[in-house]
Structures are given as C-alpha cells and as structure tokens.
C-alpha cells in the first residue's frame, strides 16, 4: 500500500511525505497549523514513522490515497508529539471505512437475557488489534459545528490508554517524561471532572421536554452547552478519550470547565494547546 503511494526512506522504517502534500495537510488541520515550525517538523517525522510502521488498509471499496493516509497519520501523531512513536507499540494496522461502519454488539440485561444488535460507529480501537476509522468522520472540523470533535485523536488516545490494560482513563506514566504526574492526583482530577460532567448531563436530560428523544437531533440544542460531547459520560475510559479530543482541537472549552483535569492532560501529553 505505502510502497505504491509514498516513497520509503531506506531502512529507517519511515516513508517520505512530499513537501506539497505536507503543506496541504497542515493547512487542512487548523490545530496542526498552530504549531511552531519545530513542532510541525517533529510531527511530520512522527507521521512518516507511523506510516512506515503501520499497515493502513481500506474497507468497503474505499479508495485510500496518499492524501488520506497522511491526513490520518498527522492527526494520530499529535498526541504523541512529545512522547514518541513507541507509544503506539503493540499493534500493527489501521482500517479505514468510507463512513460509519456496523459493529455487532451484545448486552445482558438484569434478568440475564442476552440482547444482540448492530451499532453504527465512527471509530474503534481494539486491544492488541487494529484501529478502525471512518474517513468521513476523520474530516470533521470545528467549522462543521462539532466542537471538540476528533475521531482520530479519540481512537488513538484509547491505544495509549490500553498500554497498561483496559481503557479506563488511566494510561501508563513514564517517570522520565512525566516527573510531575502523580497517579493519585490524576485519578482525583479524572473522577472529579467525570462526576461533575455526569451531574450536568443528568440535569440537562431531566429538563428535556416530554417526548424528546435524548439521541435525536431535536435534543442537540439542549446539549450544546456541555463542555464535552455527551458520549464522555459512558465511562472514565471514554471520558479520557473525549477529553483528549477537546484538549487538542478546542482546549479553551475543557480548560474553562475542568482546569485541574486540563492540567493533568497537559502534563501527560507534555503539551499546552491553549498557549501555543
């Protein structure tokens, strides 16, 4: 796939991103364009490494071209800008669908009855397995009215979270890179922000007019003032991933709502997007 689209840089395990393609990618991603020249150059090298190390494959007749691959790799590497490519170890492939894809699910209710259904989703990260993305959703920006939304950063953050087990919102810390991070302080900030977010969400849902489906477009206006997408309330793992989306693409929104949690994220990612 990559040999046909991008030139490999010998035995370095990287591919070469052409200058014109890199400039177009940066211009298409405002949160990347804000980086200074040094950070953009480091991000480019990380994206080249990711493209060299991971197999990116298309699904459902999607025609995956170099522009799409570089766009995804660039977004994916922003969270590891100051961590390193080794933080994406332990898995090898990225699968890209043209849009939302269907995933079979099953849940067991309180009576022990198993219910099977199919869920349309925009992305999923499997522990030890592939990372799956919707290309349509990977292109959504602030201008599309989805404040803080970024499915690529969301799913790749799950991969960071899974480095030390299940995606529970507590990724591993490296004492060389994270000398100021403390597990107890991280968990306290995470749990406080998560509980306050859920409390705010409960108030909004309790105030919905009778007959309004919380999952309908009619309800969207009621959720518009939440600091994060309502999906963050699922569990602490999703809260971390949704928070990470906002941290990179709409940092003021999350810093104003959860300043202590924002500081923990800044210490972990070793970046402060609000003060580029």
């Amino acid at each position: 796939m990559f040999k046909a689209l991008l030139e490999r840089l010998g035995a370095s395990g990287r591919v070469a991103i052409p200058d014109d393609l890199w400039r177009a990618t940066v211009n298409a991603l405002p949160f990347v364009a804000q980086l200074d020249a040094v950070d953009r150059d480091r991000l480019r090298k990380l994206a080249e490494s990711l493209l060299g190390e991971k197999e990116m494959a298309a699904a459902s007749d999607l025609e995956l071209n170099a522009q799409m691959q570089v766009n995804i790799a660039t977004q994916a590497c922003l969270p590891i800008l100051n961590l390193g490519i080794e933080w994406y170890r332990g898995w090898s492939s990225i699968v890209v669908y043209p849009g939302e894809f269907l995933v079979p699910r099953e849940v067991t209710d309180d009576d022990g009855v198993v219910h099977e259904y199919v869920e349309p989703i925009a992305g999923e990260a499997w522990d030890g397995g592939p990372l799956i993305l919707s290309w349509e959703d990977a292109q959504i920006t602030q201008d599309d009215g989805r404040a803080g939304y970024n499915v690529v950063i969301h799913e790749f953050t799950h991969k960071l979270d899974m480095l030390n087990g299940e995606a529970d919102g507590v990724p591993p810390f490296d004492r060389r890179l994270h000398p100021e991070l403390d597990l107890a302080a991280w968990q306290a900030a995470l749990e406080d922000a998560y509980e306050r977010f859920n409390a705010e969400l409960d108030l909004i849902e309790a105030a919905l007019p009778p007959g309004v489906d919380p999952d309908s477009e009619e309800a969207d206006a009621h959720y518009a003032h939440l600091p994060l997408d309502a999906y963050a309330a699922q569990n602490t793992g999703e809260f971390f991933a949704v928070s990470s989306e906002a941290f990179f693409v709409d940092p003021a929104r999350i810093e104003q709502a959860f300043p202590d949690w924002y500081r923990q994220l800044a210490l972990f990612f070793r970046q402060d997007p609000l003060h580029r």
Side-chain angles (χ1 to χ4, degrees):
M1 178 68 72
F2 296 111
K3 289 181 180 178
L5 298 176
L6 299 166
E7 180 185 355
R8 285 192 176 275
L9 297 176
S12 67
R14 289 165 48 199
V15 300
I17 299 176
D19 291 343
D20 58 345
L21 179 53
W22 177 248
R23 285 192 295 269
T25 301
V26 170
N27 290 336
L29 301 171
F31 48 91
V32 172
Q34 293 175 355
L35 299 172
D36 62 32
V38 173
D39 283 346
R40 285 199 304 270
D41 185 61
R42 187 163 64 256
L43 182 63
R44 180 178 183 174
K45 289 181 171 61
L46 284 167
E48 291 175 336
S49 294
L50 184 73
L51 291 171
E53 291 185 7
K54 310 297 183 188
E55 177 186 4
M56 195 178 298
S60 295
D61 299 323
L62 175 70
E63 293 186 8
L64 189 62
N65 59 34
Q67 178 264 327
M68 296 160 69
Q69 294 178 73
V70 173
N71 183 290
I72 289 171
T74 301
Q75 295 185 67
C77 288
L78 186 57
I80 60 165
L81 177 64
N82 293 323
L83 298 177
I85 194 65
E86 65 274 9
W87 282 72
Y88 287 153
R89 62 187 178 271
W91 56 283
S92 61
S93 60
I94 302 164
V95 180
V96 186
Y97 281 80
E100 287 188 337
F101 48 95
L102 301 177
V103 176
R105 306 287 196 199
E106 65 175 43
V107 295
T108 304
D109 62 25
D110 293 339
D111 296 323
V113 178
V114 177
H115 302 270
E116 297 181 349
Y117 64 100
V118 176
E119 179 183 15
I121 60 176
E124 187 160 80
W126 295 359
D127 187 10
L131 187 149
I132 311 172
L133 294 169
S134 153
W135 171 242
E136 181 181 6
D137 286 86
Q139 300 173 83
I140 291 177
T141 67
Q142 297 286 95
D143 295 336
D144 297 311
R146 296 290 297 273
Y149 181 84
N150 189 288
V151 69
V152 179
I153 290 175
H154 182 110
E155 299 305 334
F156 275 83
T157 300
H158 276 320
K159 283 294 191 182
L160 299 179
D161 198 357
M162 291 174 180
L163 280 171
N164 60 349
E166 64 178 308
D168 58 359
V170 186
F173 304 150
D174 184 312
R175 286 304 157 201
R176 295 178 301 106
L177 300 175
H178 305 125
E180 297 181 66
L181 271 180
D182 173 76
L183 179 59
W186 174 278
Q187 290 178 318
L190 169 60
E191 291 169 7
D192 175 69
Y194 179 64
E195 290 174 4
R196 288 197 289 123
F197 180 79
N198 274 273
E200 186 173 353
L201 182 61
D202 288 343
L203 289 174
I204 290 174
E205 293 185 338
L208 286 176
V212 173
D213 182 351
D215 296 323
S216 68
E217 292 185 3
E218 186 181 358
D220 288 348
H222 298 272
Y223 295 100
H225 298 296
L226 283 172
L228 300 171
D229 189 281
Y231 190 69
Q234 294 288 316
N235 52 59
T236 53
E238 295 299 346
F239 188 81
F240 172 48
V242 175
S243 296
S244 298
E245 298 177 62
F247 177 79
F248 286 105
V249 303
D250 193 9
R253 193 178 181 94
I254 187 172
E255 195 276 338
Q256 291 169 5
F258 310 117
D260 291 341
W261 178 227
Y262 180 92
R263 172 170 166 73
Q264 293 298 311
L265 294 171
L267 290 173
F268 174 71
F269 291 114
R270 305 179 71 228
Q271 300 182 56
D272 187 358
L274 190 57
H275 303 101
R276 292 291 188 197

